[in-house]
Amino acid sequence: MTMTFNSYEQSIDAGQPVALYRFSRGVLRWLYCSADRDVTVGSEVYRSLSGGMTDAGAKFTGDATADKFVVTAPADIEVAQPWRTGCPSDQIELTVFDMHYGDNDPRLRWAGRIQSVNWPALDRCRITCVSRDAEMGQPGLDDAYSQFCTATLGDERCGVNLTAHQVPMTIQSMDGAAVQCAAAAGYPDGWFMAGWVEWPIGSGEYDRRHIDRHVGTELRLLGGTAGIPASATLRVLPGCDFLFGTCTDKYANSDRFRGIPDLERRSPFDGNAVW
């Protein structure tokens, strides 16, 4: 007789609970389980880790931002390594399933994303995650009464084709704070400031770091150069200061500028009846 998930849960001694952890970033996947052996579910193989992997359980206090989901894992677990040099530029999501060994019917328990990673001991790391409900509490509309554009460069509201503006560059050297690229000298100083560099991390995914300053061949990066392979070919994108002149001259995108260039430099709500 085949037992169902509920049958395993309700049985006195037949249950062998296993937690499945699916981390994902784009097409990249990291699959782990809490069992003492690998677990296959469909076409996915969830790896058993030496030292084990556990979580503190899901919390539902009514305050989603405070209900952290904490996973404890070996210090060298692959999904945690990007946090050793800062923070990955894209979110890494986590979906947790419960099942019983011998059953092939996992049940969704929790879903969210990694918020932070720390190493409380040499051999362990703590992965702190927040739920999708916490994401719903983030600010919504951000259009403001301002001279500055409220769009993000390259998003749907902006409409700039970033691919047409990206420049491939070869790294000549790195000093921990900046990269030197000969191709950057072919553009005016500051052209790439507030833009970013991207480098491949596998499976078509890219990590990125923002550019704090551009002078000659030097691109100084926020967060430094840790984690950037010395042999990487960078994709470098120019930045935007959200002013009308930049939108017009640099990107020829004035029709989609979302600020008010000729805005009066005073508030209509300052109490003065004459405005």
Side-chain angles (χ1 to χ4, degrees), residues 251-272:
Y251 296 106
N253 196 45
S254 59
D255 288 347
R256 303 189 68 166
F257 184 75
R258 297 180 66 86
I260 306 172
D262 299 321
L263 179 70
E264 291 265 353
R265 292 185 176 273
R266 48 166 294 198
S267 171
F269 309 106
D270 63 2
N272 191 332

Side-chain angles (χ1 to χ4, degrees), residues 8-19:
Y8 279 110
E9 288 283 285
Q10 296 167 9
S11 70
I12 296 175
D13 58 2
Q16 300 181 71
V18 177

Side-chain angles (χ1 to χ4, degrees), residues 161-166:
N161 181 0
L162 294 180
T163 302
H165 292 275
Q166 71 184 18

Side-chain angles (χ1 to χ4, degrees), residues 89-207:
S89 53
D90 288 331
Q91 294 181 1
I92 296 181
E93 299 180 347
L94 169 62
T95 307
V96 182
F97 301 90
D98 286 326
M99 64 173 289
H100 287 269
Y101 192 76
D103 182 24
N104 199 29
D105 183 25
R107 301 296 177 91
L108 175 66
R109 179 173 24 131
W110 191 89
R113 64 172 178 84
I114 297 178
Q115 183 182 59
S116 64
V117 179
N118 58 38
W119 282 261
L122 290 176
D123 63 340
R124 309 297 290 170
C125 72
R126 182 184 294 117
I127 304 172
T128 302
C129 308
V130 293
S131 69
R132 302 215 183 282
D133 288 340
E135 299 290 308
M136 299 297 290
Q138 299 301 312
L141 298 176
D142 59 0
D143 273 349
Y145 188 69
S146 168
Q147 286 185 311
F148 297 94
C149 181
T150 58
T152 299
L153 181 64
D155 70 7
E156 293 182 357
R157 298 180 303 168
C158 169
V160 168
N161 181 0
L162 294 180
T163 302
H165 292 275
Q166 71 184 18
V167 181
M169 296 191 189
T170 301
I171 298 174
Q172 293 179 303
S173 63
M174 295 189 293
D175 61 9
V179 294
Q180 301 287 339
C181 301
Y187 296 82
D189 288 351
W191 183 263
F192 295 104
M193 189 173 69
W196 60 91
V197 301
E198 298 180 337
W199 66 93
I201 57 173
S203 300
E205 294 293 318
Y206 284 77
D207 214 344

